[in-house]
Amino acid sequence: MFQSASRAMSQVFERPFRAVFWKMLGFTLAVLVVIWIALQGLVAGFVALPYPWLETALSVLTGIGAVFALGFLIAPISALFAGLFQDEIAEIVEARDYSGDRPGEALPLSKSIPQTIKFTGVVILGNLFALLLLLVPGINLVAFFLVNGYLLGREFFEFAAMRFMQPEEARAFRKARGGTVFLGGLVIAGLLAVPILNLVTPIFATLFMMHLYKRLERGGGKAQFSR
């Protein structure tokens, strides 16, 4: 598993994936900026205070709150855009590292859109649950890793498997190797928790789970990366 993670991280900033990264970064930042502006405009438009210093204090508090809100939104926004670029990333890594294997097939649009919406919704609900647990001292960080480790590991691994299997088979394959997939999800959650680096999480997670799937498909043996 750690060999697969190391391989994925070494590929994240390689030339074929840079274009995907810049597109994903542009979309993500655009959404975050729109949300920031909307929050600031909402406060300015609906809250009138009698003293300038109160307005300044409220603006500062709103800014701090927006930072926390945007930090929370990185995971679901990344999940949303992962669905748009996953097949592109997977096709590149298959051509480069597994050129001798049967190529995977992208999900039809009729299936990929519901899958992306489901993935985004699951991540939002999971992070809302983890956010509520912030009120419980001592378990908030643990909750973040457990929730995101399970959800991200499950969804990214099933995406990789569904390029080669039917959805039901992919879910069964993931469940049969649930411990390994969960540990892989914890690695993804760890990257998600690091500011700036969390922007490459969708690319890393897709690469990582593609490599991990190939390794498990071959019975846990060493994956043969093409050069």
Side-chain angles (χ1 to χ4, degrees):
M1 183 183 70
F2 292 107
Q3 183 188 34
S4 298
S6 175
R7 176 66 173 170
M9 183 55 72
S10 71
Q11 291 180 308
V12 165
F13 294 106
E14 289 182 0
R15 185 184 298 274
F17 302 105
R18 288 179 198 162
V20 179
F21 170 73
W22 288 118
K23 285 188 287 186
M24 192 177 297
L25 180 63
F27 278 118
T28 301
L29 290 180
V31 171
L32 294 177
V33 167
V34 168
I35 293 172
W36 177 283
I37 293 172
L39 286 173
Q40 294 288 341
L42 190 65
V43 172
F46 291 93
V47 179
L49 296 173
Y51 304 108
W53 66 269
L54 279 178
E55 292 183 357
T56 302
L58 181 61
S59 178
V60 171
L61 290 174
T62 302
I64 294 173
V67 168
F68 281 103
L70 296 180
F72 163 76
L73 288 171
I74 284 176
I77 290 174
S78 295
L80 176 62
F81 290 124
L84 299 177
F85 298 107
Q86 272 183 313
D87 282 311
E88 183 178 349
I89 297 167
E91 287 170 5
I92 295 171
V93 76
E94 285 177 27
R96 292 186 49 164
D97 288 345
Y98 306 102
S99 56
D101 292 2
R102 174 176 67 90
E105 296 180 4
L107 284 176
L109 197 61
S110 60
K111 291 184 178 180
S112 65
I113 292 177
Q115 182 74 15
T116 298
I117 294 172
K118 186 200 83 169
F119 183 19
T120 305
V122 165
V123 173
I124 289 173
L125 290 175
N127 279 273
L128 280 174
F129 175 72
L131 191 64
L132 292 174
L133 289 177
L134 286 173
L135 303 175
V136 184
I139 68 169
N140 42 22
L141 189 60
V142 174
F144 173 86
F145 280 101
L146 291 180
V147 170
N148 281 293
Y150 173 74
L151 294 176
L152 295 172
R154 184 186 76 177
E155 298 299 330
F156 277 100
F157 185 83
E158 286 188 6
F159 159 78
M162 281 191 293
R163 288 183 60 81
F164 303 92
M165 304 175 174
Q166 291 299 313
E168 298 78 13
E169 296 174 321
R171 282 190 286 273
F173 187 72
R174 188 263 306 169
K175 289 177 181 178
R177 293 151 182 84
T180 301
V181 173
F182 175 65
L183 289 175
L186 289 179
V187 174
I188 298 172
L191 186 67
L192 188 67
V194 180
I196 306 302
L197 278 181
N198 54 15
L199 294 173
V200 304
T201 298
I203 298 176
F204 168 79
T206 302
L207 292 169
F208 177 30
M209 287 303 179
M210 286 294 298
H211 291 312
L212 187 61
Y213 166 78
K214 286 290 187 178
R215 186 181 183 88
L216 293 177
E217 182 192 35
R218 294 169 178 174
K222 183 177 180 180
Q224 298 299 314
F225 303 126
S226 301
R227 296 293 182 181

